Amino acid sequence: MKTSQRFTTVAIATVLALGGIAGGATPALATTPTDSRPYYHYTPQQNWMNDPNGLIYYGGKYHLFYQYNATGNTGGNASWGHAVSTDLTHWKQLPIAIPSDANEEVWSGSVVNDSTNTSGLGTGTTGPLVAVYTSAVRATGVQRQSIAYSTDGGTTWTKYADNPVIDIGSHNFRDPKVFWYAPAKEWRMVVVLSDQHKVAIYGSSNLKDWTEKSEFGPDGVTSAVWECPDLFPLQLDGKADATKWVLTVNVAGKAEYFVGSFDGTTFTNGEAPYTAPAGTVINDFEAATYGAGWTATGTAFGDGPAHDTGVSGALGAGYVDTFHHSDAETGTLTSPTFTIDKKNLNFLIAGGKHPYVEGGRSRHRPVTRSRTSRATRSRAGPARATSLASRRRRRT
């Protein structure tokens, strides 16, 4: 098969309204076409918001907490905003749940239902909701893990008097995700050592006293800081005796995951190294500029590919990054015309090395007939799923 093909990628500007409609305590869902707020995506009535935190279903309501600056429409002065819903569509904005104060900003974390009152912070026989969050010390920049608790179903919160519950003196130690590990009858926490590209695993019987169990990493993408980890079990094809554990981290605003096993102490990556079969590269992004026939318009793609050496498991070191100065940039990137003289054509999205193997099984159907294609995508940030641009999302 021989055919000439050319592909164009289009970067489309996406605008996120961080402001809102001032006024009384009305539901956070837009109600008329003239409102400048989304219909089905929660926004506070005004000011800056970012990472969702502490998502939990409790007392017949879905609770959404999120990074919130009550004083302006830019990042900073982070507190936990709060909204509730009974259907995940219509949301009611509530007062700030966990406010920043003169000593700390309240960064990302998670919420658990301490139903058996292991923490002793409940009332009577009723256990509290416990929020575990990163306390960012204003004076020093040190990041510590602290807790707050609610005894009225999440409406009001009290910071624990003996905070922090974990302090290792680090400026890059954040985003705790806590879950109950039934085999040990204890709590487990995953939290990132962000600049070391590691996830630390801690254990506790009461949510107040924590002991480090192990660390995972570095692994995978290590060219940008790791953030917002999670660790959870998934059954293969619904079979309880074939359960895998999945560890996720966020790198430059994109998600990366590892599939393996967890014994309550250590997460072990079960993915074997992958060696791609030989193939012929038709066009790539290894040059310093968009030479070799690539044509760029607008400003979204810059003057040439971005390059990185901190990636494992990818083909080449160059990639297209459509975020340079702002999300408002637009443009196109068109390949040169090239001839295909093979049976199969593979698009190595995000640098992945998974080409078609003759007689094997491919996750994506290979191109097997002559046709002219145009690939179009919209975006609001880095173009590739494993973008390596190191940018802080909520700290600026």
Side-chain angles (χ1 to χ4, degrees):
M1 178 187 73
K2 288 190 177 182
T3 181
S4 295
Q5 308 228 9
R6 177 174 292 173
F7 297 92
T8 302
T9 294
V10 182
I12 302 175
T14 300
V15 178
L16 174 64
L18 296 179
I21 302 171
T26 57
L29 189 70
T31 56
T32 70
T34 58
D35 288 338
S36 58
R37 298 168 68 189
Y39 268 53
Y40 295 108
H41 298 274
Y42 172 78
T43 60
Q45 290 186 358
Q46 59 189 12
N47 296 331
W48 179 92
M49 71 174 299
N50 206 18
D51 295 22
N53 300 147
L55 308 178
I56 191 169
Y57 181 76
Y58 183 83
K61 296 177 181 178
Y62 297 96
H63 291 258
L64 165 65
F65 303 92
Y66 52 91
Q67 296 283 276
Y68 181 60
N69 179 3
T71 64
N73 61 1
T74 60
N77 195 38
S79 299
W80 273 27
H82 189 192
V84 293
S85 173
T86 58
D87 61 5
L88 294 175
T89 301
H90 300 83
W91 292 90
K92 179 180 180 181
Q93 183 175 344
L94 299 180
I96 291 174
I98 310 176
S100 61
D101 57 34
N103 297 317
E104 67 172 7
E105 290 191 35
V106 181
W107 285 3
S108 293
S110 54
V111 170
V112 296
N113 176 13
D114 184 15
S115 60
T116 61
N117 200 23
T118 64
S119 64
L121 298 172
T123 57
T125 58
T126 303
L129 293 179
V130 177
V132 188
Y133 66 91
T134 295
S135 168
V137 182
R138 290 184 186 271
T140 63
V142 168
Q143 299 170 14
R144 315 179 300 187
Q145 312 319 313
S146 294
I147 64 175
Y149 59 95
S150 173
T151 58
D152 60 4
T155 301
T156 60
W157 293 80
T158 302
K159 293 180 180 180
Y160 179 49
D162 291 329
N163 278 336
V165 294
I166 309 176
D167 184 359
I168 63 173
S170 172
H171 290 72
N172 294 278
F173 180 54
R174 55 182 173 268
D175 306 338
K177 175 61 186 295
V178 173
F179 61 95
W180 179 254
Y181 185 67
K185 295 183 172 59
E186 286 188 347
W187 301 98
R188 293 293 182 265
M189 174 198 297
V190 286
V191 57
V192 291
L193 304 164
S194 61
D195 61 335
Q196 299 178 50
H197 313 108
K198 291 182 178 181
V199 174
I201 300 175
Y202 284 80
S204 174
S205 61
N206 59 13
L207 294 168
K208 297 181 292 187
D209 302 299
W210 294 89
T211 302
E212 185 173 357
K213 298 290 186 179
S214 65
E215 294 178 354
F216 171 80
D219 202 343
V221 178
T222 59
S223 60
V225 295
W226 283 13
E227 296 184 297
C228 299
D230 201 353
L231 178 62
F232 52 89
L234 282 180
Q235 295 179 359
L236 299 179
D237 300 322
K239 299 176 182 177
D241 60 347
T243 297
K244 295 289 186 180
W245 282 79
V246 181
L247 176 66
T248 66
V249 293
N250 283 264
V251 185
K254 304 299 179 182
E256 176 180 26
Y257 65 88
F258 307 92
V259 180
S261 60
F262 179 61
D263 61 6
T265 299
T266 304
F267 172 80
T268 302
N269 185 6
E271 296 177 323
Y274 177 79
T275 302
T280 301
V281 175
I282 299 174
N283 286 99
D284 58 30
F285 298 104
E286 299 303 293
T289 62
Y290 290 127
W294 288 99
T295 303
T297 68
T299 60
F301 297 94
D303 298 324
H307 288 81
D308 194 276
T309 58
V311 182
S312 62
L315 182 63
Y319 61 92
V320 174
D321 184 353
T322 63
F323 186 97
H324 290 275
H325 300 292
S326 76
D327 280 332
E329 293 173 325
T330 61
T332 64
L333 182 63
T334 303
S335 75
T337 300
F338 54 88
T339 299
I340 302 170
D341 59 2
K342 306 290 185 182
K343 255 191 339 182
N344 305 292
L345 176 65
N346 299 290
F347 295 92
L348 304 187
I349 306 301
K353 293 166 59 177
H354 299 275
Y356 174 76
V357 179
E358 187 70 35
R361 183 177 180 183
S362 177
R363 183 173 298 178
H364 302 288
R365 180 179 299 172
V367 176
T368 57
R369 65 183 185 276
S370 173
R371 67 187 181 96
T372 300
S373 300
R374 171 169 291 182
T376 303
R377 68 168 172 259
S378 64
R379 59 95 190 162
R384 63 178 192 147
T386 53
S387 172
L388 304 172
S390 179
R391 301 184 181 91
R392 302 298 302 120
R393 304 187 308 288
R394 60 188 182 281
R395 319 300 193 211
T396 55

